[in-house]
């Protein structure tokens, strides 16, 4: 029998607020263990949580960007369970009244658009971190306790490992764009639980699902799903039954292992946290957040292609990161030549910034300088090759492009007489190439242009050089 894979994801993303969700401890990555904790986040008796309003603002941004309805009324509940990295023995989360309800993400895969529905987005706190060491036993770092999380729960709309990874990439891009999460999976800022089940092709009744817990890389999500599909197919084909359970994925062994039977929400004995009031969100507040939302990649790509005539490749690349898109748009406001700007951003700016750990916001070649340089190209003051050299120079020196061009003696030579003199010299020195050119070898023209550009240190106007070579050889 042929089976259809059915996948739903529960995606956790850490929000990058300054402080934690219920106390004023610093929220960040890479601090010495147990240096960012207090009585509240370590659950000492009598300590009381206070909601960080930034967390709600960030979560509403996520909800609005994913088409969710923002609840006017939401409630924090205690999810009770014991784990060594959870000193309170409960996690503050949301169950009955989550902040965001519904929503959807559009996926573009192999030229087909697919809508993946969201069930909800709720706010909760992270647990601490257990570090298992061979000689010191297991150690606990409480820094991560009460780091704010949003959990995005999808409907079981995904049908392959490829779709699941594409959805995660899309969500990651949105969160980073909004500036509400670092999206750094290698630092644990995004993790997900993957629910996988199989049903006979053509059926609409879902099979029994298993849940792969806490996976923290795209690669593992992909491998985990592929493995689980194969494992469940083998069971079903042998006439067996898939057991509903939670499984652990091992990257080393590339296998999943049974952890425990899947618990239902009642096992956690959820109840409203008596220390936290229900939250009321007014439509005006939601509106004020909506007004601050940045335009997302999809909208930008559409505009770049339809209004600015950029090729889809350029548009997608420029819009993929918010800083690149904003840099591009700032340039465009100063110089209305989209393709010239995107060419320089893609081939030069992104190359120069690569590996420098710099932000496009504070690179030495700001939009004003880049567009001044591009204007020099269109005014015939430098050619494109020289402009690239100048760009690298002013990246280092922080000069104005025009000053740098003058200082480097690279102003383009447009003087016909001056160029003609050099062209004549080069032609005289290369009789064999002249013969080849006359015999119709197009390579010979490129040779001449190359020689002349070399003799003028790249300063000659290439168009004039081309015309002159053809004219003077054919005399
Ligand atoms: Zn704290």
């Amino acid at each position: 029998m042929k089976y259809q894979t059915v996948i739903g994801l529960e995606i956790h993303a850490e929000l990058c607020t300054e402080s934690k969700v219920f106390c004023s401890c610093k929220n960040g990555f890479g601090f010495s263990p147990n240096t960012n904790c207090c009585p509240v986040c370590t659950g000492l008796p009598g300590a009381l949580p206070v909601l960080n309003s930034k967390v709600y603002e960030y979560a509403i941004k996520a909800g609005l960007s994913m088409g969710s309805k923002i609840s006017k009324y939401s409630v924090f509940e205690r999810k009770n369970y014991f784990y060594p990295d959870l000193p309170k023995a409960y996690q503050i989360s949301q169950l009955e009244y989550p902040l965001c309800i519904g929503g959807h993400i559009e996926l573009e895969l192999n030229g087909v658009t697919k809508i993946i529905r969201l069930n909800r987005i709720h706010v909760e706190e992270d647990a601490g971190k257990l570090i298992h060491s061979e000689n010191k036993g297991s150690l606990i770092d409480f820094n991560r306790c009460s780091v704010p999380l949003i959990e995005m729960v999808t409907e079981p709309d995904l049908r392959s490992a490829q779709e699941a990874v594409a959805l995660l990439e899309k969500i990651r891009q949105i969160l980073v764009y909004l500036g509400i999460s670092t999206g750094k999976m290698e630092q644990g800022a995004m993790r997900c639980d993957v629910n996988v089940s199989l049903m006979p092709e053509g059926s609409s009744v879902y099979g029994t699902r298993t849940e792969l817990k806490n996976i923290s890389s795209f690669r593992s999500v992909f491998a985990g799903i592929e493995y689980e599909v194969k494992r469940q197919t083998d069971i079903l084909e042998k006439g067996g039954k898939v057991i509903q359970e939670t499984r652990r994925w091992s990257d080393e062994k590339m296998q999943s292992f049974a952890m425990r039977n899947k618990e239902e929400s009642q096992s956690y004995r959820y109840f409203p946290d008596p220390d936290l009031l229900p939250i009321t969100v007014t439509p005006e507040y939601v509106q004020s957040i909506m007004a601050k939302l940045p335009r997302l990649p999809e909208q930008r790509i559409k505009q770049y292609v339809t209004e600015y005539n950029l090729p889809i490749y350029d548009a997608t690349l420029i819009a993929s990161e918010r800083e690149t898109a904003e840099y591009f748009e700032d340039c465009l406001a100063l110089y209305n030549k989209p393709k010239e700007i995107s060419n320089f951003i893609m081939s030069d700016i992104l190359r120069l910034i690569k590996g420098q750990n710099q932000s496009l916001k504070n690179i030495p070649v700001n939009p004003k300088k880049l567009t001044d340089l591009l204007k020099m190209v269109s005014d015939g003051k430098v050619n494109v090759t020289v402009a690239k050299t100048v760009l690298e120079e002013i990246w280092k020196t922080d000069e104005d492009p025009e000053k740098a061009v003058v200082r480097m003696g690279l102003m383009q030579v447009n003087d016909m007489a001056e160029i003609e003199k050099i062209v004549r010299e080069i032609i005289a020195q290369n009789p064999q190439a002249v013969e080849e050119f006359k015999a119709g070898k197009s390579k010979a023209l490129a040779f001449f242009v190359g020689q002349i550009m070399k003799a003028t240190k790249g300063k000659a106007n290439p168009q004039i050089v081309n015309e002159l070579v053809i004219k003077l050889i054919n005399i």
Side-chain angles (χ1 to χ4, degrees), residues 127-168:
K129 200 171 170 184
L130 278 174
I131 299 145
H132 304 288
S133 137
E134 234 169 60
N135 34 27
K136 291 184 195 155
S138 288
L139 305 169
I140 303 178
D141 178 5
F142 287 132
N143 282 350
R144 208 176 66 181
C145 274
S146 266
V147 161
L149 290 179
I150 47 173
E151 179 171 338
M152 292 152 278
V153 183
T154 77
E155 297 292 354
D157 288 347
L158 297 155
R159 293 290 174 268
S160 66
Q162 198 198 6
E163 284 184 9
V165 170
L167 180 77
L168 284 168

Side-chain angles (χ1 to χ4, degrees), residues 20 22-26 36-42 145-146:
K20 294 184 180 180
F22 298 118
C23 60
S24 55
C25 289
K26 210 167 167 39
N36 290 325
C37 26
C38 71
V40 177
C41 53
T42 50
C145 274
S146 266

Side-chain angles (χ1 to χ4, degrees), residues 38-148:
C38 71
V40 177
C41 53
T42 50
L44 296 189
L48 290 171
V50 177
L51 176 65
N52 174 355
S53 62
K54 266 281 181 234
V55 171
Y56 247 51
E57 181 190 319
Y58 280 21
I60 291 172
K61 278 185 176 173
L64 291 173
S65 304
M66 298 179 199
S68 307
K69 182 174 161 279
I70 309 300
S71 306
K72 286 188 188 134
Y73 177 85
S74 52
V75 175
F76 282 109
E77 301 201 37
R78 290 185 180 179
K79 179 182 182 183
N80 298 281
Y81 67 99
F82 170 77
Y83 207 68
D85 61 11
L86 189 70
K88 296 200 292 278
Y90 63 83
Q91 176 192 24
I92 303 178
S93 181
Q94 296 182 324
L95 182 72
E96 288 292 316
Y97 301 97
L99 173 63
C100 310
I101 297 168
H104 65 271
I105 308 274
E106 263 185 45
L107 275 192
E108 190 84 35
L109 256 183
N110 310 322
V112 180
T113 306
K114 189 169 173 179
I115 306 278
I116 307 300
R117 292 167 302 155
L118 285 180
N119 175 284
R120 59 196 273 149
I121 304 175
H122 66 251
V123 178
E124 59 184 27
E125 59 179 344
D126 211 343
K129 200 171 170 184
L130 278 174
I131 299 145
H132 304 288
S133 137
E134 234 169 60
N135 34 27
K136 291 184 195 155
S138 288
L139 305 169
I140 303 178
D141 178 5
F142 287 132
N143 282 350
R144 208 176 66 181
C145 274
S146 266
V147 161

Side-chain angles (χ1 to χ4, degrees), residues 388-407:
K388 286 175 187 285
T389 313
V390 173
L391 180 69
E392 289 201 25
E393 181 68 13
I394 60 175
W395 190 285
K396 285 180 243 157
T397 61
D398 209 3
E399 280 167 293
D400 284 328
E402 182 131 15
K403 273 188 193 154
V405 169
V406 171
R407 177 178 61 76

